């Protein structure tokens, strides 16, 4: 061992020990901080299923691959990052003796070939990701004048990287590329030295190794040692940086993402959409007969009111901006960016970390010497307009590659504002008062629940205990009271009646499902309405339910089971599609003109019902898809109780979606949700396109049958 090797070995092993020590200390500190979050007992159990989900999502990159090319590049870097550790281990041998290699596999041809291919792929992938980041830089993607709808919005560019800490990403990309370059360089030195006998094991390096043909053996040996030291220093500097920057999610996610995925709300792998996360008290769903707002936190007010999973979410965010790029609020100039919401909460968490830990230690020791003034998040860390801009469409959750549950955190913050602080938009007060007094957000007379059925040429049966019906038709508040939605209710009832389906409705016994109350943050009112409906549904013996409103479908099908309501709930497009396929609904006349379909968020993303509406439309029309459809469909703007709120900031979400629909050239926009119907109809009108019709699929189906029936009746007379 020469002087160079002695010096490099001392530096390498000392630096490694320092970096590992600081990294482990930082990791334990992060764990201690996350454990300060509120308990969440719903994440227990199903360990085997959770492990499978974690392995499938991480190794298979199932979420990342939703963006195919970026996902493939990240997949290569992911495996390169972990599987190139053996090459790092070899660097320790090389700083001691340049001729040394890993025991057993160090000179084994297949390993050399595999590591060469992996190194090259990792290098190409990181260059690709660097190119994507450069092309998508905010300064190079300014929002056009028509896209900058409000000075109140944060959106100064169309880049998903706006608001991200770019230096961290560039540092990590440079680190990985430097490691790749050092491994390849050492390989070329060893080929020149003759330590690697067969060129086929190093097909790329062998093309470059000739550059060193004139170098001396001593020079090459020294070069191997120095580059190996560089590899070690650069590699462990990465971990040292993580230790010094615990809020560096783009780096820490290489550790925390595995745990974040493992502890996701749905152990089987489904994204945290559909049912809203119940409000937790002492780690379990709130029981309002026992919960005390004086002692129990209702929702979230201070950072430690978030569950430990929430704090883990904040620590895992990579600032990739996928959530931001899909968010309807951010895309229309609102102050909400799901990414910035999470990073602002993360930064606040780590700013408070020393005080929170000190207080926790003092509490464990039974002393009161350490007191911290609780900092309310709302108004200091997060502006209320950020929370009220959310439509709970779930696009952020759908796109997040590390399973951050943005919507759940927004709901928890809203719950505290509404139930404890009574701080919410003034217009929401009317909606909540109507729900409490009339059982519907419009404030209409409950006795008029069946008014929609007037004019039908058959009697709509009312469900009773022991009644002879297969489906309970849940009409919903919109279907009962909104004049436009009433047409959909009549069309569905007529189609079911003509198909011979035995169905019944609740009539005056039906009340609001509580969707708007829950998503605005009034969990208590939601439970009050839900318990009333569950009791009614169980009394009449409802088993199968068909609903025209996706919000009703989602609430009854996914949330009522927590209150003892277990039902098979289908959307009307699913049932009608089955009846068409079975030949029970005929005839069908081809739709005249171009048609596009809008995916309702609570039907599509929240409940994964994408195909049935399209298949039903396909029986009588050709669907022209909008650019943003299915999982990436753009919200109409009504979800999250925004149906009842004003939209003073930015461009109206419904106008943005209406513009997209009109741009397809379609003269008909088919919908499957009464809220979407209202919002898009207003958006189309605002765009000055009165010639474009927004209509429910059931009405289109009923109309197509009538047209063909009329043609058939007129045929003999011609």
């Amino acid at each position: 061992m020469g002087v160079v090797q002695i010096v490099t070995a001392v530096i390498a092993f000392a630096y490694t020990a320092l970096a590992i020590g600081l990294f482990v200390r930082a990791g334990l500190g992060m764990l201690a901080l996350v454990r300060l979050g509120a308990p969440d007992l719903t994440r227990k159990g199903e360990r085997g299923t959770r492990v499978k989900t974690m392995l499938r999502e991480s190794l298979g990159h199932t979420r990342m691959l939703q963006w195919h090319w970026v996902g493939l590049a990240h997949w290569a870097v992911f495996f390169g990052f972990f599987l190139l550790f053996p090459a790092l281990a070899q660097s320790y041998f090389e700083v001691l003796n340049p001729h040394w290699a890993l025991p057993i596999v160090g000179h084994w041809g297949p390993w050399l070939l595999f590591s060469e291919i992996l190194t090259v792929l990792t290098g190409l992938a990181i260059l690709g990701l660097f190119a994507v980041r450069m092309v998508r830089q905010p300064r190079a993607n300014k929002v056009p004048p028509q896209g900058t709808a409000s000075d109140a919005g944060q959106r100064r560019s169309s880049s998903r990287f706006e608001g991200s800490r770019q230096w961290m990403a560039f540092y990590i990309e440079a680190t990985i590329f430097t490691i790749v370059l050092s491994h390849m360089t050492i390989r070329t030195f060893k080929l020149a030295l003759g330590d690697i006998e067969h060129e086929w094991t190093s097909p790329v390096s062998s093309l470059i190794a000739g550059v060193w043909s004139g170098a001396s053996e001593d020079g090459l040996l020294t070069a191997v040692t120095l580059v190996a030291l560089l590899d070690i220093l650069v590699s462990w500097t990465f971990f040292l940086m993580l230790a010094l920057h615990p809020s560096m999610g783009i780096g820490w996610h290489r550790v925390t993402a595995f745990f974040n995925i493992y502890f996701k709300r749905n152990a089987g792998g489904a994204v945290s959409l559909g049912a809203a996360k119940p409000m937790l008290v002492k780690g379990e769903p709130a029981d309002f007969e026992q919960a005390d707002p004086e002692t129990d936190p209702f929702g979230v007010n201070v950072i430690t009111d978030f569950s430990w999973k929430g704090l883990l979410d904040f620590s895992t965010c990579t600032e990739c901006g996928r959530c931001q790029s899909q968010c309807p609020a951010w895309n229309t100039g609102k102050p909400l960016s799901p990414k910035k919401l999470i990073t602002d909460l993360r930064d606040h968490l780590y700013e408070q970390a020393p005080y929170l830990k000190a207080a926790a230690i003092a509490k464990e020791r039974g002393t009161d010497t350490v007191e911290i003034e609780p900092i309310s998040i709302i108004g200091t860390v997060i502006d209320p307009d950020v929370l009220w801009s959310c439509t709970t469409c779930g696009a952020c959750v759908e796109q997040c590659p590390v399973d951050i549950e943005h919507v759940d955190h927004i709901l928890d913050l809203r719950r505290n504002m509404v139930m404890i602080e009574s701080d919410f938009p003034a217009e929401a007060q009317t909606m909540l008062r109507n729900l409490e007094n009339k059982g519907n957000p419009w404030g209409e007379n409950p006795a008029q629940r069946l008014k929609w059925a007037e004019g039908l040429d058959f009697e709509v049966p009312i469900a009773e205990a022991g009644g002879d019906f297969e489906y309970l038709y849940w009409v919903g508040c919109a279907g009962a009271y909104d004049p436009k939605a009433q047409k959909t209710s009549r069309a569905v009832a007529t189609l079911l009646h003509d198909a011979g389906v035995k169905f019944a409705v609740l009539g005056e016994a039906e009340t609001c499902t509580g969707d708007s109350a829950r998503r605005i943050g009034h969990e208590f009112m939601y439970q009050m309405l839900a318990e009333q409906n569950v009791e009614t549904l169980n009394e009449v013996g409802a088993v199968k339910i068909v609903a025209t409103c996706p919000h009703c479908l989602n609430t009854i099908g996914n949330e009522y089971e927590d209150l003892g309501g277990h039902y098979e709930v289908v959307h009307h497009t699913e049932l009608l599609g089955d009846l068409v396929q079975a030949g029970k609904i005929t005839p069908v006349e081809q739709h005249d003109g171009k048609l596009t379909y809008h995916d309702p968020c609570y039907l599509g993303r929240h409940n994964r019902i994408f195909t049935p509406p399209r298949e039903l439309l396909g029986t009588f029309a050709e669907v022209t898809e909008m650019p943003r459809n299915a999982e990436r469909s753009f919200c109409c703007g009504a979800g999250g109780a925004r149906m009842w709120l004003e939209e003073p900031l930015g461009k109206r979400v419904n106008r943005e979606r209406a513009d997209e629909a009109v741009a397809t050239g379609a003269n008909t926009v088919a919908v499957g949700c009464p809220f979407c119907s209202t919002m898009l109809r207003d958006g189309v009108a605002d765009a000055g396109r009165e010639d474009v019709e927004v209509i429910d699929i059931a009405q289109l189906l009923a109309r197509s049958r009538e047209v063909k029936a009329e043609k058939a009746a007129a045929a003999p007379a011609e």
Side-chain angles (χ1 to χ4, degrees):
M1 181 184 293
V3 175
V4 173
Q5 283 72 39
I6 293 173
V7 173
T8 55
V10 170
I11 294 173
F13 285 98
Y15 194 75
T16 300
L18 173 66
I20 290 176
L22 292 177
F23 177 71
V24 170
R25 187 182 72 170
L28 293 174
M30 178 180 289
L31 177 61
L33 183 60
V34 167
R35 293 178 66 180
L36 294 180
D40 183 349
L41 303 179
T42 66
R43 311 281 174 168
K44 289 186 173 182
E46 301 182 85
R47 292 181 179 178
T49 303
R50 290 185 179 278
V51 169
K52 290 178 184 177
T53 296
M54 183 267 289
L55 292 175
R56 182 176 64 251
E57 285 196 18
S58 56
L59 299 182
H61 263 45
T62 53
R63 305 296 300 285
M64 285 293 300
L65 288 170
Q66 291 182 99
W67 294 27
H68 304 304
W69 293 111
V70 172
L72 284 171
H74 191 278
W75 185 84
V77 172
F78 170 83
F79 278 97
F81 184 83
F82 288 102
L83 296 183
L84 288 178
F85 269 102
L88 174 61
Q90 179 160 304
S91 293
Y92 287 95
F93 289 94
E94 290 162 345
V95 296
L96 295 171
N97 186 326
H99 287 297
W100 285 358
L102 285 175
I104 303 175
V105 298
H107 294 288
W108 186 43
W111 164 253
L112 291 173
L113 178 61
F114 170 73
S115 60
E116 172 102 348
I117 293 172
L118 182 64
T119 303
V120 171
L121 287 177
T122 303
L124 293 175
I126 203 67
L127 285 175
L129 293 176
F130 175 77
V132 168
R133 188 171 289 273
M134 289 303 296
V135 169
R136 296 301 302 165
Q137 281 295 294
R139 62 178 175 272
N141 293 272
K142 299 297 184 184
V143 175
Q146 64 271 25
T148 309
S150 170
D151 291 337
Q154 300 169 344
R155 190 173 185 239
R156 294 178 296 275
S157 81
S158 60
S159 170
R160 61 187 173 97
F161 298 121
E162 181 179 326
S164 298
R165 293 180 295 183
Q166 298 278 48
W167 74 266
M168 291 185 175
F170 286 130
Y171 163 72
I172 290 173
E173 288 166 349
T175 294
I176 295 173
F177 187 72
T178 302
I179 292 171
V180 165
L181 207 57
S182 66
H183 290 170
M184 292 296 292
T185 303
I186 291 174
R187 182 69 64 90
T188 64
F189 291 155
K190 293 208 165 189
L191 280 164
L193 285 165
D195 286 359
I196 298 175
E197 298 179 3
H198 305 291
E199 290 188 358
W200 66 266
T201 64
S202 308
V204 178
S205 300
S206 62
L207 298 175
I208 307 170
V211 173
W212 317 119
S213 59
S216 66
E217 181 177 354
D218 288 344
L220 289 172
L221 292 174
T222 301
V224 169
T225 299
L226 293 176
V227 176
L229 176 63
L230 173 67
D231 180 33
I232 292 169
L233 295 179
V234 170
S235 297
W236 287 109
T237 297
F238 169 74
F239 291 95
L240 190 60
M241 286 290 289
L242 295 188
L244 298 175
H245 296 277
S247 65
M248 191 175 180
I250 193 170
W252 274 106
H253 87 278
R254 286 162 174 77
V255 178
T256 59
F258 297 102
F259 299 98
N260 214 49
I261 295 170
Y262 177 86
F263 287 113
K264 68 190 299 183
R265 177 140 60 93
N266 301 311
V271 293
S272 299
L273 295 175
K277 187 193 81 170
M279 191 183 84
L280 301 180
V281 173
K282 296 183 175 67
E284 296 183 335
D287 179 353
F288 284 101
E289 293 184 1
Q290 310 247 341
D292 182 359
E294 296 294 327
T295 57
D296 297 321
F298 278 22
V300 168
N301 180 40
V302 299
I303 194 68
T304 50
D305 286 343
F306 282 109
S307 72
W308 58 263
K309 174 57 169 66
L311 303 189
L312 182 60
D313 271 359
F314 308 153
S315 302
T316 306
C317 178
T318 69
E319 302 185 36
C320 68
R322 289 189 178 205
C323 58
Q324 179 173 282
S325 71
Q326 304 296 304
C327 177
W330 186 76
N331 274 285
T332 54
K334 310 293 191 298
L336 168 64
S337 159
K339 175 182 69 180
K340 194 169 187 303
L341 171 78
I342 297 299
T343 57
D344 284 349
L345 290 169
R346 177 199 62 201
D347 293 345
H348 175 65
L349 170 65
Y350 283 96
E351 285 171 3
Q352 295 296 302
Y355 312 106
L356 296 173
K357 289 179 180 178
I361 292 171
K363 185 177 181 181
E364 285 180 6
R365 294 174 178 172
T367 63
D368 296 323
T369 56
V370 178
E371 294 184 6
I372 61 171
E373 184 71 25
I375 298 177
S376 178
I377 291 172
I378 307 301
T380 56
V381 181
I382 305 297
D383 189 279
D385 283 338
V386 168
L387 303 179
W388 298 125
S389 295
C390 180
T391 67
T392 68
C393 69
C396 50
V397 180
E398 174 72 38
Q399 290 297 323
C400 182
V402 292
D403 282 301
I404 292 172
E405 298 164 358
H406 315 71
V407 173
D408 290 349
H409 303 319
I410 289 173
L411 285 183
D412 274 335
L413 288 163
R414 283 184 175 186
R415 284 163 175 161
N416 186 270
M417 293 178 70
V418 172
M419 289 190 289
I420 300 299
E421 302 297 332
S422 295
D423 180 13
F424 46 85
E427 59 270 27
Q429 179 64 51
T430 302
M431 182 268 291
L432 291 171
R433 185 170 57 249
N434 288 337
L435 286 177
E436 184 177 11
N437 297 332
K438 301 291 187 178
N440 67 84
W442 277 273
E444 297 288 344
N445 189 339
Q448 300 297 313
R449 276 268 176 186
L450 265 177
K451 188 174 182 180
W452 63 271
E454 293 177 359
L456 293 176
D457 57 6
F458 61 92
E459 184 176 349
V460 176
I462 305 299
E464 297 177 351
D468 183 21
F469 62 90
E470 181 183 5
Y471 283 94
L472 188 287
Y473 175 24
W474 187 272
V475 180
C477 299
Y481 298 116
D482 181 78
K484 297 291 185 181
Q486 286 177 341
K487 295 179 181 179
T488 301
S489 302
R490 286 192 286 272
V492 171
T494 301
L495 290 166
L496 295 180
H497 174 76
D498 291 351
V501 176
K502 292 183 178 180
F503 74 97
V505 299
L506 290 177
E508 293 182 30
E510 181 181 299
T511 193
C512 182
T513 61
D515 165 81
S516 293
R518 186 171 220 188
R519 279 158 181 77
I520 206 170
H522 207 314
E523 186 76 1
F524 176 75
M525 184 174 293
Y526 157 74
Q527 286 203 20
M528 180 178 66
L529 294 167
E531 287 171 357
Q532 179 180 339
N533 281 324
V534 168
E535 182 180 353
T536 301
L537 289 169
N538 290 344
E539 279 181 0
V540 301
V543 176
K544 296 181 179 180
I545 297 175
V546 57
T548 53
C549 177
H551 297 264
C552 296
L553 174 145
N554 180 68
T555 304
I556 299 171
N558 296 326
E559 299 179 352
Y560 278 11
E561 60 184 23
D562 293 337
L563 302 171
H566 302 277
Y567 317 106
E568 177 187 337
V569 188
V570 298
H571 191 243
H572 68 290
T573 59
E574 294 180 284
L575 180 55
L576 294 176
D578 290 342
L579 295 173
V580 169
Q581 293 298 322
K584 294 183 178 180
I585 295 181
T586 54
V588 177
E589 173 71 9
Q590 195 69 15
H591 175 74
D592 185 22
K594 199 172 184 180
L595 177 146
T596 190
Y597 171 64
H598 164 75
D599 287 276
C601 299
Y602 273 78
L603 186 65
R605 269 190 297 269
H606 281 272
N607 284 279
R608 321 310 297 175
I609 301 173
F610 301 111
T611 303
R614 288 175 168 82
E615 288 183 341
L616 179 56
L617 283 169
T619 62
F620 60 88
E622 182 178 345
V623 179
T624 300
E625 294 285 6
M626 286 184 258
R628 292 177 287 195
N629 61 77
E631 289 91 345
R632 297 195 192 183
S633 179
F634 197 78
C635 184
C636 75
R642 286 226 51 94
M643 177 76 176
W644 318 105
L645 306 181
E646 296 297 329
E647 193 173 346
L649 301 176
K651 181 180 181 181
R652 293 182 64 85
V653 176
N654 63 338
R655 174 62 190 274
E656 174 83 0
R657 186 56 165 171
D659 287 345
E660 187 172 7
V662 169
T664 65
N667 57 7
T668 301
V669 181
V671 296
C673 170
F675 286 2
C676 295
S677 180
T678 297
M679 299 300 282
L680 291 181
R681 195 181 305 113
D682 291 347
V684 167
D686 187 50
R689 292 298 303 272
E690 302 290 351
D691 57 314
V692 176
E693 181 182 31
V694 179
I695 185 170
D696 190 272
I697 297 174
Q699 291 176 254
L700 282 172
L701 178 60
R703 180 190 295 173
S704 69
R705 294 172 71 245
E706 292 170 3
V707 170
K708 189 158 188 177
E710 290 172 0
K711 288 184 178 180
E718 293 178 357

